[in-house]
Amino acid sequence: GLFRERALKHIARMEDLLHPRLRPKNMFRLKSLLSEFMMLPVLLLQAKDGKGCSKRESFTAAAGLFGSDTWSVMEEVSAIRREGKYVPGPFAGMVLKRPGYFFRKLRRRIPVPIPRTLKKKLSDDFYRRMAVFASECRLLLRTS
């Protein structure tokens, strides 16, 4: 059905974005990737159950579908997403606070670098485990 199709498209997108060439180089891209990754549990459950599910509920329900090693990367992504605060410079701060189409477009063009402390967490192994999680989602859809 529609839920299954959406989930499979999202999984394929995640697999593409996790390719070493396409990994995020700034905070905007990183937050976008992590947010999209965190949608996998809800999309998986919707596809399996054929009905809507909230993102919050999906984490509790989906955790049981994965081994703890596989699920651990979702916990790491959630923590990075929660803690991924940065302090913009004066110009970036002004642009980030302004509403409207022009400023929204400009925000994408301001490459706020990924802090060095966060870069340490974003290892090849971290991205590999994200890709394994996405592949596991695909397998779970095949068996449902």
Side-chain angles (χ1 to χ4, degrees), residues 10 37 51 77 81 124 128 143:
H10 195 78
F37 185 78
K51 61 182 182 186
V77 166
R81 188 79 178 92
D124 286 339
R128 182 194 59 76
T143 60

Side-chain angles (χ1 to χ4, degrees), residues 13-29:
R13 177 168 164 70
M14 291 311 319
E15 290 169 339
D16 288 345
L17 290 174
L18 290 167
H19 188 278
R21 261 191 350 259
L22 299 177
R23 289 180 186 162
K25 308 251 187 300
N26 61 53
M27 283 301 290
F28 179 83
R29 298 263 185 240

Side-chain angles (χ1 to χ4, degrees), residues 42 45-46 52-59:
V42 72
L45 289 174
Q46 288 175 346
C53 171
S54 78
K55 186 175 166 186
R56 180 173 289 174
E57 292 169 1
S58 74
F59 273 58

Side-chain angles (χ1 to χ4, degrees), residues 7 10-12 14-15 18 34 36-45 58-59 61-78 125-141:
H10 195 78
I11 291 165
M14 291 311 319
E15 290 169 339
L18 290 167
L34 299 180
E36 287 190 55
F37 185 78
M38 291 172 69
M39 289 302 297
L40 287 172
V42 72
L43 294 171
L44 173 66
L45 289 174
S58 74
F59 273 58
L65 299 173
F66 298 89
S68 59
D69 283 350
T70 304
W71 184 259
S72 68
V73 76
M74 185 58 74
E75 298 291 340
E76 289 174 53
V77 166
S78 298
D125 184 61
F126 174 76
Y127 286 117
R128 182 194 59 76
R129 290 184 300 117
M130 286 177 74
V132 166
F133 188 95
S135 297
E136 190 75 21
C137 288
R138 184 184 302 285
L139 288 174
L140 286 166
L141 281 177

